[in-house]
Amino acid sequence: MRLLCTAVLLSITAVANAVQFVDCGSESCSIDSLDVSNCAADAQSCDFPRGKNVNMTLKFTTNQNITSLKNTIEGYADGIWVPFSSTDACGSIDTSCPIKDGVTATYSLSIYVNDGYPTIDVKVRSEMKGNNGIDCACFEMQGAVV
C-alpha cells in the first residue's frame, strides 16, 4: 500500500508543472507544453521568487527545418516591456540544431530572479526566432515576482 501511494504521488508531481500560456505567434513550430518550476498544474499565474532560479521547459514540434534559434525573454509591467535576456537557444535544446521538420524538441531555460526586483505582477513573453527571424515558438504567461 505504501508503495502504491508513493507511486501515485510521484506521478502527480511529475505532471504538476504544466502551466497556462497564450501562443503569441508561433509560425515554424507548435508548442506542445510549457512547464515552470514551483508552479501548479494549469496555473493562471506563477510565482517567481526573488533570489532564486525559475526553470522553464518548453516542448515544441517543428513544422519546417530549423537551422538556428535565438530566444528573447521580456517582461511587461507597469505599461512597458522590459528586455530580460537574449540567448542562443540551440545550446539548450535536447536535440542539436539544425532540427528537421516534424521533430519534437525540448528547450530548457533557467532564469535567475534578482533580489533587487520589486514585488510586482508581470506578463512574461518568450520569443524563440528561427530561420530569417521567423517565430518558431512564442508564448506569454502571467507571473508575479515575489
Side-chain angles (χ1 to χ4, degrees):
M1 181 67 168
R2 182 178 284 167
L3 182 59
L4 177 62
C5 289
T6 302
V8 169
L9 286 173
L10 286 175
S11 65
I12 289 170
T13 304
V15 297
N17 293 342
V19 299
Q20 293 182 12
F21 64 90
V22 174
D23 189 305
C24 54
S26 301
E27 295 179 51
S28 58
C29 301
S30 61
I31 298 174
D32 301 319
S33 66
L34 171 65
D35 296 328
V36 179
S37 60
N38 302 315
C39 193
D42 294 323
Q44 292 183 6
S45 181
C46 296
D47 287 344
F48 306 133
R50 291 179 294 172
K52 297 193 177 196
N53 285 324
V54 174
N55 300 307
M56 296 183 181
T57 304
L58 180 71
K59 185 176 176 184
F60 63 95
T61 303
T62 60
N63 60 30
Q64 64 179 260
N65 292 332
I66 305 290
T67 57
S68 63
L69 287 170
K70 181 179 180 180
N71 191 49
T72 302
I73 297 178
E74 53 190 354
Y76 184 79
D78 287 339
I80 58 170
W81 284 103
V82 178
F84 186 74
S85 71
S86 183
T87 59
D88 176 6
C90 286
S92 299
I93 294 177
D94 64 347
T95 62
S96 59
C97 291
I99 306 170
K100 295 203 178 283
D101 180 12
V103 170
T104 298
T106 302
Y107 173 62
S108 299
L109 175 67
S110 183
I111 302 169
Y112 180 74
V113 181
N114 193 304
D115 283 327
Y117 291 164
T119 56
I120 192 168
D121 290 336
V122 63
K123 180 190 294 186
V124 175
R125 177 189 294 155
S126 173
E127 194 170 20
M128 193 160 40
K129 292 188 180 278
N131 311 345
N132 301 320
I134 296 172
D135 277 347
C136 170
C138 182
F139 70 84
E140 292 179 352
M141 61 171 286
Q142 290 301 124
V145 176
V146 295

